[in-house]
């Protein structure tokens, strides 16, 4: 029971941390990650909150992933989208509602901070090897069905979201490129450290 509690803590803490990082990349206003820019674009075009779109798009992806991989829908992934969606709305609409920065170097610092926080959160949430969020599930479904490498599958999912974000007028910009280039190495940096900490707590 103790081991499960530790893993659950890493998983939930990771999801909450990811939501904070996403919020900072959006508030930096230099361009968000492709999926987040798509959700912001949907909010500005259709209505509803960014967090609600995280949940709606996530639910669509859960069904899509099941069809692509020819597997049953991963219903546990609903938990990931509910946590991330609700926490993003909490950060965006409550904590950072009136937070505006117009000075470039400050925006850049907030963006980089957001990237580091997302990467740290991802490294936490991956350790227990529980269910993936639907965006990561989309990547894995493409890999399983078509035999793509993870890098190719990840690139395809990001391009898909980028095209939709551009079509919806989402915040695509310099920040989007910085996130694309930095998020992978940042996750690689934190992942072994998070693994060591969890392994030590479990032993």
């Amino acid at each position: 029971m103790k081991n499960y509690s530790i893993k659950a803590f890493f998983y939930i803490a990771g999801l909450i941390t990811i939501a904070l990082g996403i919020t900072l990349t959006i508030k930096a206003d230099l361009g968000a990650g492709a999926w987040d820019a798509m959700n912001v674009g949907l909010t500005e075009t259709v209505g509803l909150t960014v967090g609600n779109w995280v949940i709606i798009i996530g639910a669509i992806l859960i069904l899509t992933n099941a069809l692509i991989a020819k597997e049953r829908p991963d219903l546990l992934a609903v938990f990931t989208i509910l946590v991330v969606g609700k926490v993003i709305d909490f950060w965006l609409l409550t904590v950072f509602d009136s937070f505006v920065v117009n000075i470039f170097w400050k925006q850049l610092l907030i963006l980089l901070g957001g990237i580091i926080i997302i990467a740290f959160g991802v490294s936490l949430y991956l350790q227990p090897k529980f269910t993936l969020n639907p965006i990561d599930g989309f990547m894995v479904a493409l890999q399983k069905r078509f035999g793509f490498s993870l890098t190719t599958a990840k690139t395809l999912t990001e391009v898909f979201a980028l095209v939709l974000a551009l079509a919806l007028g989402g915040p695509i910009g310099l920040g989007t490129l910085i996130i694309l280039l930095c998020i992978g190495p940042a996750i690689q940096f934190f992942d072994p450290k998070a693994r060591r900490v969890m392994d030590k707590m479990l032993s």
Side-chain angles (χ1 to χ4, degrees), residues 110-125:
I110 292 164
L111 178 79
L112 293 173
I115 291 169
I116 290 166
I117 290 168
I118 291 171
F120 179 61
V122 169
S123 70
L124 291 178
Y125 121 95

Side-chain angles (χ1 to χ4, degrees), residues 31-74:
W35 288 97
D36 305 316
M38 184 183 74
N39 290 325
V40 173
L42 283 164
T43 295
E44 291 173 352
T45 308
V46 183
L48 302 179
T49 64
V50 174
N52 280 331
W53 282 114
V54 168
I55 294 166
I56 293 165
I57 297 297
I60 292 168
L61 282 176
I62 288 169
L63 297 175
T64 305
N65 297 345
L67 289 170
I68 292 171
K70 295 184 176 177
E71 295 174 351
R72 276 189 289 189
D74 183 6

Side-chain angles (χ1 to χ4, degrees), residues 21-41 111 118 158 162 165 170-180:
I22 288 170
T23 302
L24 290 175
T25 61
I26 292 170
K27 294 302 282 188
D29 202 26
L30 290 175
W35 288 97
D36 305 316
M38 184 183 74
N39 290 325
V40 173
L111 178 79
I118 291 171
E158 291 297 314
L162 190 64
I172 297 293
L174 173 65
T176 311
L177 182 63
I178 294 171
I179 291 167
L180 200 62

Side-chain angles (χ1 to χ4, degrees), residues 10 123-124 126-129 187-202:
F10 268 72
S123 70
L124 291 178
L126 288 178
Q127 297 316 313
K129 294 183 170 54
I187 291 168
Q188 277 188 330
F189 173 79
F190 284 115
D191 187 62
K193 294 168 178 59
R195 190 179 309 124
R196 276 199 299 274
V197 171
M198 193 179 83
D199 287 347
K200 189 176 277 188
M201 290 173 74
L202 291 172

